[in-house]
């Protein structure tokens, strides 16, 4: 079966598109795994129209801001559990509610 230039172009575009999805998924996956036992001061809700801008204990990536909302001592594991949340800053059209991002058992309290 012979393919035309147009068909080969469509196949190439599909391959590039799939590769792009794989790269994005890989970046997202690695960001989702980032519930480290450390933080720095960041700004959350910093787009116009959302919740008031505030300081939070967390980190920023290309996928957004993540912050520690709370932590507690877990007697069963003998460690602190840090709860990380995603800052779902909706931009100028309003703010989307923040969502749970992940937890990490850490040797030290978050603050």
């Amino acid at each position: 079966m012979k393919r035309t230039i147009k068909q080969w172009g469509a196949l190439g575009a599909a391959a590039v598109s799939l590769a792009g999805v794989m790269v994005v998924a890989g970046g997202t996956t690695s960001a989702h795994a980032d519930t480290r036992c450390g933080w720095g001061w960041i700004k959350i809700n910093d787009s116009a129209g959302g919740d008031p801008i505030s300081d939070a204990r967390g980190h920023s990536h290309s996928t957004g801001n993540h912050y520690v909302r709370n932590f507690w001592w877990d007697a069963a594991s003998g460690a602190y559990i840090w709860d990380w949340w995603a800052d779902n800053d909706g931009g100028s059209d309003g703010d989307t509610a923040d969502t749970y991002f992940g937890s990490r058992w850490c040797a030290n309290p978050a603050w």
Side-chain angles (χ1 to χ4, degrees):
M1 174 178 164
K2 286 195 169 197
R3 297 193 189 275
T4 66
I5 298 269
K6 194 173 193 178
Q7 288 171 325
W8 280 112
L11 285 172
V16 169
S17 178
L18 180 58
V21 168
M22 292 166 74
V23 168
V24 169
T28 302
T29 301
S30 61
H32 281 279
D34 194 359
T35 54
R36 62 186 87 164
C37 291
W39 54 265
W41 287 106
I42 62 168
K43 298 279 185 198
I44 59 173
N45 303 314
D46 57 354
S47 294
D51 292 334
I53 295 174
S54 60
D55 292 320
R57 296 166 171 100
H59 56 262
S60 297
H61 321 228
S62 59
T63 58
N65 297 323
H66 304 105
Y67 64 96
V68 178
R69 182 176 277 187
N70 52 37
F71 72 94
W72 67 91
W73 173 254
D74 179 44
S77 67
Y80 291 91
I81 299 175
W82 295 22
D83 274 344
W84 285 90
W85 286 70
D87 173 31
N88 296 325
D89 191 5
S92 61
D93 61 347
D95 194 34
T96 305
D98 293 350
T99 53
Y100 173 75
F101 183 68
S103 295
R104 173 71 59 129
W105 279 261
C106 299
N108 56 297
W111 53 84

